[in-house]
Amino acid sequence: MSTMQNDTERAILTAAEQEFMLKGYGGARTTAIAEKAGVTHAMLHYYYRTKDSLFNRIIEEKAAELLNQVLALFSTVEHTSFADKICHVVERHFDMLVQNPLLPGFVLTELRNNPERLEGWFTKIGDAVKMLAPDLQAEVERVSAEGTICHLPVQALLSDIVFLNISSVGFADVFCRIFGQDKDAYLEMRRKENVETIRKRLLP
Amino acid sequence: MSTMQNDTERAILTAAEQEFMLKGYGGARTTAIAEKAGVTHAMLHYYYRTKDSLFNRIIEEKAAELLNQVLALFSTVEHTSFADKICHVVERHFDMLVQNPLLPGFVLTELRNNPERLEGWFTKIGDAVKMLAPDLQAEVERVSAEGTICHLPVQALLSDIVFLNISSVGFADVFCRIFGQDKDAYLEMRRKENVETIRKRLLP
DNA sequence: ATTATCTATAGATCTATAGATAATGC
DNA sequence: ATTATCTATAGATCTATAGATAATGC
């Protein structure tokens, strides 16, 4: 069975994911991956043939995993208000990024160097957004007409959330150094601050 | 005079800045820089000796340029209110990033791969922040006591501004594709949206 | 004399494969 | 027979320099 992987195979995948996320496709070295996995370099090519196919294998796994997590953000319990629901999404999205702190940098790097390699990601995410956005926009229209929140396009709101959270996690190292703050304390501050900022953004 | 550069020298610098900003130190190739500059590869080493010294030369120039721009953001004309002043800073910071769209990705890449190479940048920025932050915080204390704005730590406010602007520019390509929007239209939307978000964040 | 330029190449590093050998499963 | 592993190496790519030659400035 193909999912019945031996230790070597699994070790290579794990090491490869770390290396690719950290260095990007171009920066990753198959020799370094093999070394990190504790196998000879030839074994990597024996199991995955080329660097390229190993990379594709990794990002397809990662894409499925991330898409599930993102979709799960929205399919959650009922909340008292629209604003509460959004704030809950902000918090869960933030936590998801803390679990994948290398993601923003990885995406930015690949986007620059070989955007075609992430083509699949963007079409998948684009499709998911096309599914979710209209419902969300309809809800905004309805609730804003009641005067509970202000009116705004969901593209703007979603961008706000993602941008605040991505940067908070991606640039935490820079900013906590610039401000002379502990990293955990800084992230804790950002988590609250992003919720607060989005909540105020929704005020009528 | 050392600032009296010939065409070759200048062409190498220009090409190197583009290449380093686009690919990062590790991804940049001195052969590619020479080719882009239209000179033989040996000339690059003749003028700047090593890839490393060429890189340092580039980022020191860039650091000085960026720091001046950032400091200029705050030393500006008087405004009617604190909130107006901040919103003006947001707009000018946004425009500055549009002029340097590769900057966020470059910083993130170098931060990951060899943070020590940007050590100088962060200490300089840290020093500048230590100069500006107390005055700004004092103003927040004063104006928030009057009830015109809410109280908040300047670290949070500055992070909010930088994060929204950096991501808007850095991830514009991804997001306008995901939303099926024109890039210029998306950036125009983000410019207004970031000002609006920060203005609301300051509400009492 | 000094500065600028070119050709050629050394030496390092990286991906990928060839070919031999050991372990495993019928 | 098939699967897993190792050693050795081919071939590509990249940084850096050596050494020769042309242009420039006293």
Side-chain angles (χ1 to χ4, degrees), chain A residues 59-64 67 71 118-131, chain B residues 178:
Chain A
I59 63 165
E60 268 160 39
E61 271 189 18
K62 200 73 188 168
L67 197 61
L71 289 176
L118 292 185
E119 198 67 38
W121 281 35
F122 298 136
T123 51
K124 264 182 205 150
I125 295 176
D127 290 349
V129 168
K130 278 187 197 67
M131 297 272 291
Chain B
I178 286 176

Side-chain angles (χ1 to χ4, degrees), chain A residues 25-26 52 55-56 59-60 106-123, chain B residues 23 173-174 177:
Chain A
Y25 181 82
D52 203 77
F55 181 81
N56 288 331
I59 63 165
E60 268 160 39
F106 173 76
V107 172
L108 214 49
T109 302
E110 294 310 310
L111 194 70
R112 248 179 7 177
N113 296 343
N114 20 40
E116 69 284 356
R117 231 181 262 282
L118 292 185
E119 198 67 38
W121 281 35
F122 298 136
T123 51
Chain B
K23 306 275 183 73
D173 284 322
V174 195
R177 172 163 352 168

Side-chain angles (χ1 to χ4, degrees), chain A residues 50-199:
Chain A
T50 65
K51 183 183 180 181
D52 203 77
S53 76
L54 178 57
F55 181 81
N56 288 331
R57 168 66 185 274
I58 297 287
I59 63 165
E60 268 160 39
E61 271 189 18
K62 200 73 188 168
E65 178 196 327
L66 290 174
L67 197 61
N68 279 340
Q69 286 184 39
V70 169
L71 289 176
L73 290 182
F74 285 92
S75 61
T76 178
V77 291
E78 291 300 309
H79 287 271
T80 49
S81 72
F82 180 79
D84 283 349
K85 192 167 81 175
I86 294 297
C87 288
H88 190 237
V89 168
V90 174
E91 283 177 329
R92 301 222 299 164
H93 179 245
F94 187 96
D95 294 338
M96 185 192 125
L97 284 168
V98 170
Q99 299 301 111
N100 297 276
L102 296 175
L103 198 59
F106 173 76
V107 172
L108 214 49
T109 302
E110 294 310 310
L111 194 70
R112 248 179 7 177
N113 296 343
N114 20 40
E116 69 284 356
R117 231 181 262 282
L118 292 185
E119 198 67 38
W121 281 35
F122 298 136
T123 51
K124 264 182 205 150
I125 295 176
D127 290 349
V129 168
K130 278 187 197 67
M131 297 272 291
L132 292 172
D135 285 355
L136 207 58
Q137 186 71 57
E139 201 171 351
V140 168
E141 304 298 331
R142 186 168 50 76
V143 184
S144 66
E146 292 169 3
T148 327
I149 64 164
C150 71
H151 182 268
L152 84 177
V154 286
Q155 286 98 324
L157 179 60
L158 292 177
S159 297
D160 289 338
I161 295 171
V162 174
F163 289 169
L164 285 170
N165 281 343
I166 274 184
S167 297
S168 294
V169 176
F171 290 97
D173 285 321
V174 195
F175 276 71
C176 67
R177 174 165 349 170
I178 286 175
F179 294 137
Q181 220 171 341
D182 173 65
K183 186 171 175 182
D184 287 340
Y186 183 75
L187 282 174
E188 187 57 33
M189 180 272 269
R190 288 310 313 174
R191 193 173 190 273
K192 286 181 190 136
E193 172 66 20
N194 292 350
V195 172
E196 174 75 4
T197 303
I198 294 299
R199 187 181 290 283

Side-chain angles (χ1 to χ4, degrees), chain A residues 20-24 26 29 102 104-109 111-113 115 118-119 122-123 125-126 129-130 150 152-160 162-164 166-175 177-181 186 189-190 193-194 196-198 200-204, chain B residues 20-24 26 29 102 104-109 111-113 115 118-119 122-123 125-126 129-130 150 152-160 162-164 166-175 177-181 186 189-190 193-194 196-198 200-204:
Chain A
F20 281 131
M21 284 288 147
L22 194 60
K23 306 273 184 73
R29 300 287 168 237
L102 296 175
F106 173 76
V107 172
L108 214 49
T109 302
L111 194 70
R112 248 179 7 177
N113 296 343
L118 292 185
E119 198 67 38
F122 298 136
T123 51
I125 295 176
V129 168
K130 278 187 197 67
C150 71
L152 84 177
V154 286
Q155 286 98 324
L157 179 60
L158 292 177
S159 297
D160 289 338
V162 174
F163 289 169
L164 285 170
I166 274 184
S167 297
S168 294
V169 176
F171 290 97
D173 285 321
V174 195
F175 276 71
R177 174 165 349 170
I178 286 175
F179 294 137
Q181 220 171 341
Y186 183 75
M189 180 272 269
R190 288 310 313 174
E193 172 66 20
N194 292 350
E196 174 75 4
T197 303
I198 294 299
K200 281 194 159 179
R201 178 64 186 84
L202 288 172
L203 289 179
Chain B
F20 280 130
M21 284 289 147
L22 195 61
K23 306 275 183 73
R29 300 287 169 237
L102 297 175
F106 172 75
V107 173
L108 214 48
T109 303
L111 194 70
R112 249 177 8 178
N113 296 342
L118 292 185
E119 197 67 39
F122 298 135
T123 50
I125 295 175
V129 168
K130 278 187 197 68
C150 71
L152 84 177
V154 288
Q155 286 99 325
L157 178 61
L158 293 177
S159 298
D160 289 337
V162 174
F163 290 169
L164 286 170
I166 274 183
S167 298
S168 294
V169 175
F171 290 98
D173 284 322
V174 195
F175 276 71
R177 172 163 352 168
I178 286 176
F179 295 137
Q181 219 172 342
Y186 184 75
M189 180 274 268
R190 288 311 312 174
E193 173 66 19
N194 291 351
E196 174 74 4
T197 303
I198 294 299
K200 281 194 158 177
R201 177 64 186 88
L202 288 172
L203 289 179

Side-chain angles (χ1 to χ4, degrees), chain B residues 10-191:
Chain B
R10 179 45 58 189
I12 293 171
L13 277 185
T14 309
E17 179 174 336
Q18 285 176 41
E19 183 81 356
F20 280 130
M21 284 289 147
L22 195 61
K23 306 275 183 73
Y25 181 81
R29 300 287 169 237
T30 57
T31 49
I33 293 172
E35 197 174 352
K36 189 182 289 188
V39 304
T40 65
H41 178 217
M43 289 316 295
L44 183 146
H45 288 283
Y46 173 69
Y47 281 110
Y48 300 100
R49 192 156 178 83
T50 65
K51 183 183 181 182
D52 203 78
S53 76
L54 177 57
F55 181 81
N56 288 331
R57 168 66 184 274
I58 297 287
I59 62 165
E60 269 160 38
E61 270 188 18
K62 200 74 187 166
E65 178 196 328
L66 290 173
L67 198 61
N68 279 339
Q69 287 184 39
V70 170
L71 290 178
L73 290 182
F74 284 92
S75 61
T76 178
V77 289
E78 290 301 309
H79 288 269
T80 48
S81 73
F82 180 78
D84 284 349
K85 191 167 82 176
I86 294 298
C87 289
H88 190 238
V89 168
V90 175
E91 284 177 330
R92 302 223 298 163
H93 180 246
F94 187 95
D95 294 337
M96 184 191 126
L97 284 168
V98 171
Q99 299 300 111
N100 298 276
L102 297 175
L103 198 59
F106 172 75
V107 173
L108 214 48
T109 303
E110 295 308 311
L111 194 70
R112 249 177 8 178
N113 296 342
N114 20 40
E116 67 285 355
R117 232 182 262 281
L118 292 185
E119 197 67 39
W121 281 34
F122 298 135
T123 50
K124 265 181 205 152
I125 295 175
D127 291 348
V129 168
K130 278 187 197 68
M131 296 273 291
L132 292 172
D135 286 354
L136 206 59
Q137 187 69 58
E139 201 171 353
V140 168
E141 303 298 332
R142 187 166 52 75
V143 183
S144 66
E146 291 169 4
T148 326
I149 65 165
C150 71
H151 182 267
L152 84 177
V154 288
Q155 286 99 325
L157 178 61
L158 293 177
S159 298
D160 289 337
I161 296 171
V162 174
F163 290 169
L164 286 170
N165 281 343
I166 274 183
S167 298
S168 294
V169 175
F171 290 98
D173 284 322
V174 195
F175 276 71
C176 67
R177 172 163 352 168
I178 286 176
F179 295 137
Q181 219 172 342
D182 173 64
K183 186 170 175 181
D184 286 340
Y186 184 75
L187 282 175
E188 187 57 33
M189 180 274 268
R190 288 311 312 174
R191 193 173 189 274

